[in-house]
Amino acid sequence: CVAILLGGQVISGSCDKTLKVWDLTKEPGQECIATLTGHINLIRCIAILSDGRVISGACDGIKVWDLSRRPGQECVAALGDRNDWGRSVTILPDERVITGATDGSLKLWDLTRLAGHECVATLEGPSTLIRCVVVHPDGRVISNSGDNTLKIWDLNKEAPANMCIAILSGHNDSIRCVVVHPDGRVISASDDKTLKVWDLDQKQGQECIATLEGLSKDVCQVSIHPDGRVVSVSDNGILKIWDLTRASGDMCVATLKGRGSWWVRCMVSTPEGWVISNSYDKTLQVCNPYGS
């Protein structure tokens, strides 16, 4: 996993059980400025709080890091126990944290609570892993499910059993990634080799307003470029750039070849317009999607 820190630095989580902080203004070979240790299993996801603290999810649980601390003292909290596998993590507008796990549940955490009492709600879903959780600008939460659907949650409901307010169907295989466009539309990427664009304000059953096709491999990650275009990457390392303002069927405006067939697990776009992706060849690739 990869995320952009508030100061513009990059933080990555790895199968080597570490987090690394990178400063892209440094000379080649000197970009790594910190290595955070504490997880004992591979790291799946990262999210950044508004005060700069980092939340990481791994197969051994969820940890909170304060990068202003001295080296070796950055880990300031562990949420839950080793059964609370963090497969996905995101920050709500009120600074609560929501995580998705391999058992299909979502957990809501309030970091203002005393240690051991941070989990304030558990939302039960199908007993299948949740790969991605995102927050819509209106506060609704969107998560994928192992039954190839997206679920929409309203956390303002009093009872957790009533929080799932809609289920979006249309993909024919597992959903790998979900992002929210600045205009409120939702984009999902699937192993069915498509992207789907959803408008949550449409009538039930009509939320899918576009299907983006033309990919030869499973779509593993999507990010939103600062200019509003959508960048997707497939398992073969191919990046595609999509312009959602164009007519359906003509939205793909560029195709870029990456490192070949190395599996890309995550990708982010920086405010400057760079696209950063990871790979199973143990590197991060930084590229300009427009080549200028």
Side-chain angles (χ1 to χ4, degrees):
C1 45
V2 183
I4 308 299
L5 295 171
L6 300 184
Q9 295 169 333
V10 176
I11 186 166
S12 60
S14 171
C15 291
D16 69 5
K17 308 167 192 174
T18 69
L19 295 159
K20 287 186 180 290
V21 181
W22 310 83
D23 185 342
L24 302 186
T25 67
K26 299 287 187 181
E27 295 293 327
Q30 300 178 20
E31 299 96 340
C32 182
I33 59 174
T35 298
L36 312 182
T37 59
H39 280 296
I40 61 173
N41 212 317
L42 61 91
I43 299 169
R44 295 282 191 181
C45 52
I46 305 171
I48 313 299
L49 288 160
S50 63
D51 62 7
R53 285 179 296 170
V54 175
I55 313 293
S56 61
C59 292
D60 64 327
I62 302 149
K63 292 186 182 296
V64 184
W65 310 81
D66 183 347
L67 303 187
S68 67
R69 298 290 186 98
R70 295 176 59 185
Q73 300 178 1
E74 299 96 341
C75 185
V76 295
L79 306 182
D81 55 35
R82 293 182 184 179
N83 295 319
D84 291 311
W85 285 20
R87 189 68 189 241
S88 56
V89 59
T90 194
I91 311 299
L92 298 172
D94 60 9
E95 291 290 286
R96 288 181 297 173
V97 176
I98 190 163
T99 60
T102 53
D103 64 358
S105 67
L106 293 171
K107 289 199 172 185
L108 186 62
W109 309 84
D110 183 346
L111 301 188
T112 67
R113 301 291 183 99
L114 294 175
H117 299 275
E118 299 97 340
C119 184
V120 295
T122 298
L123 313 182
E124 300 292 346
S127 298
T128 50
L129 66 87
I130 294 177
R131 281 193 173 112
C132 42
V133 182
V134 295
V135 182
H136 195 270
D138 64 12
R140 288 177 287 181
V141 171
I142 304 139
S143 67
N144 81 306
S145 181
D147 58 5
N148 309 335
T149 66
L150 295 174
K151 287 183 166 49
I152 314 300
W153 307 83
D154 183 352
L155 302 186
N156 293 319
K157 300 287 186 180
E158 292 186 3
N162 298 328
M163 289 182 180
C164 183
I165 58 173
I167 298 175
L168 309 183
S169 302
H171 280 297
N172 298 319
D173 209 334
S174 298
I175 297 170
R176 295 267 201 105
C177 178
V178 180
V179 295
V180 180
H181 196 275
D183 64 12
R185 288 179 290 180
V186 175
I187 299 102
S188 56
S190 170
D191 285 347
D192 65 9
K193 304 180 179 63
T194 70
L195 303 172
K196 287 187 181 291
V197 183
W198 310 83
D199 183 346
L200 303 188
D201 293 328
Q202 297 294 320
K203 293 181 179 179
Q204 184 174 355
Q206 300 178 16
E207 296 96 340
C208 182
I209 58 174
T211 298
L212 312 183
E213 300 177 307
L215 300 119
S216 59
K217 291 288 185 179
D218 300 345
V219 186
C220 49
Q221 278 294 323
V222 179
S223 69
I224 306 298
H225 197 266
D227 65 8
R229 300 189 195 192
V230 175
V231 184
S232 68
V233 64
S234 299
D235 279 348
N236 56 3
I238 299 294
L239 277 73
K240 286 185 177 288
I241 301 172
W242 310 84
D243 185 345
L244 302 187
T245 66
R246 297 169 70 104
S248 180
D250 191 36
M251 291 183 180
C252 183
V253 295
T255 299
L256 305 175
K257 180 69 174 176
R259 280 182 299 266
S261 60
W262 290 100
W263 184 18
V264 176
R265 186 182 288 275
C266 59
M267 177 179 61
V268 293
S269 295
T270 72
E272 299 81 12
W274 300 102
V275 174
I276 303 173
S277 59
N278 83 326
S279 171
Y280 265 29
D281 65 5
K282 305 177 184 176
T283 66
L284 296 175
Q285 177 172 274
V286 184
C287 70
N288 183 340
Y290 298 119
S292 60

